[in-house]
């Protein structure tokens, strides 16, 4: 059997930063603070899972194949040996956790994978885009693994579209592989609180995300290291309270269609996170010269613009704007900074099964 799935990346408006310290063997990637994101659409991972015939009495073997050709736009992120190991380890986690979740949801499932698995994937964004590929790739892997475990994959893929609770259950498993991946199962607005992930009803106009790529260099500090080092900052005490308050503010603003308030709170939260980085011990920063230039330009010439400006753990800038203004903003940025590529994506609905072939 061959399964093809797609899962998008997401961009946080209130950032997940700082993991709870838990005993060894307990659930992983539980966040210190609630976070909230916008699910993207075409900036995504395509993932293919092939299952070969079962060998009686033997545990299935997993293999990572070279990237899928065709769907990627340019350079395809390569998993480092460590990343590859983490990815395959996540398949075992899915095999251990998903059968009982499927069972509890009344979906007939096997207790183990029925054969050896081969995985290959590709992202639609170049590695240099600085868009976290772990969110989309782990979400895609979790959904593909679940589809491989069910007895009636076609029925499952239909149920998947309609059943937000089922997607929330899968999101919890995905979170254990990559924290922010748990927000790529719903859309367009997703809340992540503790172990729970849910969709937020919105009265905002449809949104687009413009990603201004100011640098394509390797990240100096990975997000795992960032999650732990922020706790050494003198600004860490109070971060959970500050982020929690903004989380409530942004959630309410989304529900009530108050775009101004989303802009204001998302900007403050992004600055708060980057201030934790620069005041940590030892301090670090993702900002590059280009980051400062774009932020200065926006502050100087577009102070009152109705755009949300946010940065993840990287130097590139996300401008979130109403879809009706996306071409205007693309022109503003390209005219002033022709040297920086600008990707455009729109809000989306979360991970989906594309094809199941016998
Ligand atoms: O999922 P991780 O461990 O890569 O953490 C992602 C953290 C940020 O992207 C900086 C913020 C977020 O909420 O996505």
């Amino acid at each position: 059997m061959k399964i093809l799935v797609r899962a998008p990346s997401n961009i946080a408006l209130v950032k997940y930063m700082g993991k709870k310290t838990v005993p060894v063997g307990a659930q992983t990637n539980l966040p210190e603070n609630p976070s909230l994101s916008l699910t993207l659409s075409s900036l995504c991972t395509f993932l293919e899972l092939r299952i070969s015939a079962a060998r009686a009495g033997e545990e299935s073997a997993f293999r990572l194949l070279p990237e899928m050709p065709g769907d990627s736009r340019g350079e395809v992120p390569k998993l480092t040996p460590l990343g590859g190991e983490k990815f395959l380890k996540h398949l075992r986690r899915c095999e251990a956790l998903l059968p009982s979740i499927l069972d509890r949801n009344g979906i007939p499932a096997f207790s183990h994978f029925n054969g050896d698995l081969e995985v290959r994937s590709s992202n639609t964004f170049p590695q240099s885009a600085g868009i976290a590929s772990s969110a989309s790739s782990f979400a895609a892997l979790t959904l593909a693994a679940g589809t491989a475990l069910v007895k009636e994959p076609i029925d499952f893929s239909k149920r998947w579209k309609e059943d937000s609770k089922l997607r929330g259950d899968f999101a919890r498993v995905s979170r254990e592989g990559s924290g922010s991946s748990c927000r790529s199962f719903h859309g367009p607005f997703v809340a992540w609180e503790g172990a729970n992930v849910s969709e937020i009803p919105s009265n905002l106009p449809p949104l687009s995300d413009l990603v201004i790529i100011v640098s394509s260099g390797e990240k100096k500090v990975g997000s795992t290291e960032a999650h732990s080092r922020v706790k050494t900052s003198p600004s860490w005490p109070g971060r959970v309270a500050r982020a929690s308050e903004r989380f409530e503010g942004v959630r309410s603003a989304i529900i009530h269609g108050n775009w101004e308030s989303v802009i204001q709170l998302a900007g403050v939260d992004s600055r708060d996170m980057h201030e934790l980085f620069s005041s940590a011990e030892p301090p670090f920063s993702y900002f590059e010269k280009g980051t400062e230039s774009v932020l200065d330009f926006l502050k100087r010439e577009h102070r009152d613009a109705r755009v949300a400006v946010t940065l993840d753990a990287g130097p590139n800038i996300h401008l979130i704007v109403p879809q009706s203004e996306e071409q205007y903003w693309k022109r503003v940025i390209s005219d002033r900074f022709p040297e920086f590529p600008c990707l455009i994506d729109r809000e989306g609905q979360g991970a989906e099964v594309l094809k199941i072939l016998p």
Side-chain angles (χ1 to χ4, degrees):
M1 184 165 70
K2 194 162 105 179
I3 295 161
L4 182 67
V5 302
R6 200 187 74 93
S9 187
N10 66 73
I11 174 70
L13 300 171
V14 176
K15 310 291 185 187
Y16 152 51
M17 189 39 62
K19 299 182 194 200
K20 277 208 166 24
T21 316
V22 291
V24 180
Q27 286 189 43
T28 59
N29 295 338
L30 284 168
E32 289 280 6
N33 65 276
S35 64
L36 192 158
S37 57
L38 176 73
T39 304
L40 299 179
S41 171
S42 57
L43 295 175
C44 66
T45 296
F46 285 88
L47 186 140
E48 187 184 272
L49 192 67
R50 284 169 192 253
I51 306 139
S52 62
R55 286 173 286 123
E58 280 186 44
E59 190 179 58
S60 48
F62 304 155
R63 200 152 72 97
L64 207 53
L65 296 180
E67 297 81 7
M68 251 156 69
D71 289 312
S72 64
R73 255 198 248 154
E75 197 189 334
V76 174
K78 305 242 181 324
L79 288 172
T80 57
L82 194 68
E85 207 179 289
K86 215 176 137 195
F87 211 50
L88 294 182
K89 192 174 154 207
H90 187 65
L91 273 178
R92 286 278 174 237
R93 179 182 288 125
C94 289
E95 188 177 33
L97 300 178
L98 290 177
S100 57
I101 287 177
L102 289 161
D103 191 52
R104 277 203 301 280
N105 280 280
I107 298 171
F110 301 107
S111 57
H112 293 285
F113 290 122
N114 256 336
D116 294 342
L117 305 188
E118 288 179 335
V119 185
R120 49 186 204 145
S121 67
S122 73
N123 295 342
T124 57
F125 43 91
Q127 183 161 28
S128 54
I131 297 162
S133 57
S134 73
S136 55
S137 55
F138 275 81
L141 187 63
T142 310
L143 173 56
T147 314
L149 284 163
V150 299
K151 291 187 177 162
E152 302 290 346
I154 308 277
D155 292 351
F156 168 77
S157 68
K158 285 188 197 134
R159 167 94 178 261
W160 178 260
K161 280 191 205 140
E162 294 146 16
D163 192 339
S164 170
K165 182 194 164 288
L166 176 65
R167 282 183 272 138
D169 287 348
F170 270 55
R172 283 168 182 244
V173 176
S174 197
R175 186 206 78 228
E176 299 224 26
S178 147
S180 53
S181 75
C182 73
R183 297 184 311 227
S184 284
F185 288 81
H186 300 85
F189 293 98
V190 180
W192 171 20
E193 301 165 87
N196 290 328
V197 181
S198 57
E199 202 163 294
I200 304 171
S202 166
N203 275 300
L204 290 173
L207 299 175
S208 294
D209 181 19
L210 279 77
V211 194
I212 308 167
I213 318 259
V214 304
S215 165
S216 51
E218 272 277 298
K219 267 198 214 178
K220 282 167 254 140
V221 178
S223 65
T224 306
E225 171 66 16
H227 284 294
S228 102
R229 224 191 282 175
V230 285
K231 295 190 178 178
T232 62
S233 160
S235 308
W236 174 254
R239 160 70 188 164
V240 175
R242 296 192 301 274
S244 303
E245 198 175 314
R246 281 177 215 129
F247 170 85
E248 291 305 339
V250 176
R251 173 156 65 184
S252 159
I254 291 168
I255 294 170
H256 295 104
N258 183 347
W259 180 227
E260 272 69 23
S261 189
V262 175
I263 292 172
Q264 198 262 334
L265 293 168
V268 175
D269 195 68
S270 175
R271 290 194 292 277
D272 189 8
M273 180 179 77
H274 285 272
E275 199 276 321
L276 288 173
F277 299 156
S278 57
S279 56
E281 192 49 57
F284 59 106
S285 170
Y286 295 101
F287 281 35
E288 305 260 338
K289 240 171 101 208
T291 316
E292 305 279 6
S293 310
V294 174
L295 292 177
D296 282 351
F297 165 73
L298 292 170
K299 205 150 58 180
R300 239 184 10 254
E301 296 187 30
H302 296 277
R303 176 169 283 283
D304 298 319
R306 300 179 75 237
V307 294
V309 182
T310 187
L311 282 88
D312 269 348
N316 301 319
I317 295 155
H318 292 254
L319 286 191
I320 303 171
V321 305
Q323 266 171 32
S324 54
E325 295 170 26
E326 107 196 340
Q327 289 308 318
Y328 166 78
W329 281 105
K330 166 96 175 147
R331 264 197 312 281
V332 167
I333 298 300
S334 306
D335 286 353
R336 177 64 186 77
F337 297 102
E339 68 278 33
F340 299 147
C342 179
L343 303 177
I344 301 185
D345 198 5
R346 293 185 162 189
E347 63 180 38
Q349 303 296 323
E352 58 180 338
V353 180
L354 296 175
K355 257 189 223 162
I356 300 163
L357 299 170

